[in-house]
Amino acid sequence: MKHLLIAASILVAALTLSGCGGQDRGTFLKEKVSDYNISETARRFAEALKPKNYRFIRLIDHEAEANRLKLYLKPTHTLVLDNPKISAKLLDCNPTMAIELPIRVGIYNELNGRTHLVYTNPEYWSLKHNIKDKTCIELINLLARDFDAATDAIVKAKP
């Protein structure tokens, strides 16, 4: 039991020192406010990733499911995307990556109507899945850059 407590303390310290501790969900999640409604945000984000070989798998409308059950839920969707080449290589790096893939992107509205797009920060995966191989880290960084660039598609250009 003592070894378990020591290991847990080391993990908490490592997460805190690496910037993954505390209540700052921005370390684990990337979030951007969109200038478009949920449907248009999903379309634009998926389209921006298409040239990089990401394919649209499905869009889950959680609000519609809640309504079907006579429950209230703010407009909330999950966009599911995959790049099979990157996914296969990441799964080869560590099969536990299966819980991250295909990639899910949350899109939701606040009560004021503002639309948000949120996804797990791919750079967090290397820590979460203990990925240390340089090639694997480069793949994670590539995916992070692809997603960061795609968020530009959900913000209107300023004149």
Side-chain angles (χ1 to χ4, degrees):
M1 183 67 164
K2 185 177 179 182
H3 294 293
L4 184 58
L5 288 173
I6 291 170
S9 297
I10 291 170
L11 178 60
V12 168
L15 289 172
T16 301
L17 291 173
S18 70
C20 295
Q23 297 297 316
D24 181 15
R25 75 180 194 169
T27 303
F28 296 105
L29 300 175
K30 294 237 177 170
E31 187 163 2
K32 185 104 173 191
V33 174
S34 174
D35 289 332
Y36 301 94
N37 65 31
I38 285 184
S39 299
E40 186 64 12
T41 297
R43 187 191 72 72
R44 285 174 167 273
F45 191 76
E47 283 294 317
L49 287 167
K50 201 181 268 187
K52 303 216 180 242
N53 298 316
Y54 291 85
R55 63 184 173 99
F56 169 83
I57 295 176
R58 78 185 278 212
L59 184 66
I60 302 165
D61 184 342
H62 300 287
E63 180 190 27
E65 287 300 311
N67 288 340
R68 191 177 59 76
L69 298 170
K70 301 198 183 332
L71 299 170
Y72 170 77
L73 182 65
K74 293 181 288 189
T76 306
H77 293 181
T78 299
L79 176 63
V80 183
L81 301 160
D82 191 31
N83 180 319
K85 188 174 182 179
I86 292 175
S87 292
K89 289 177 181 179
L90 286 173
L91 289 166
D92 190 44
C93 293
N94 189 338
T96 63
M97 284 293 300
I99 65 170
E100 312 296 345
L101 303 167
I103 301 161
R104 293 164 313 280
V105 177
I107 306 169
Y108 67 92
N109 275 357
E110 292 182 50
L111 289 175
N112 65 9
R114 189 177 329 173
T115 301
H116 293 255
L117 181 134
V118 61
Y119 56 92
T120 300
N121 183 349
E123 294 169 355
Y124 166 63
W125 294 342
S126 59
L127 178 65
K128 184 178 178 183
H129 297 281
N130 196 30
I131 295 174
K132 296 178 178 147
D133 178 79
K134 183 180 177 187
T135 303
C136 297
I137 298 291
E138 287 173 4
L139 282 171
I140 289 171
N141 290 337
L142 171 67
L143 196 143
R145 285 191 305 273
D146 289 347
F147 272 55
D148 286 347
T151 61
D152 291 341
I154 66 167
V155 179
K156 292 179 182 172
K158 306 295 182 224

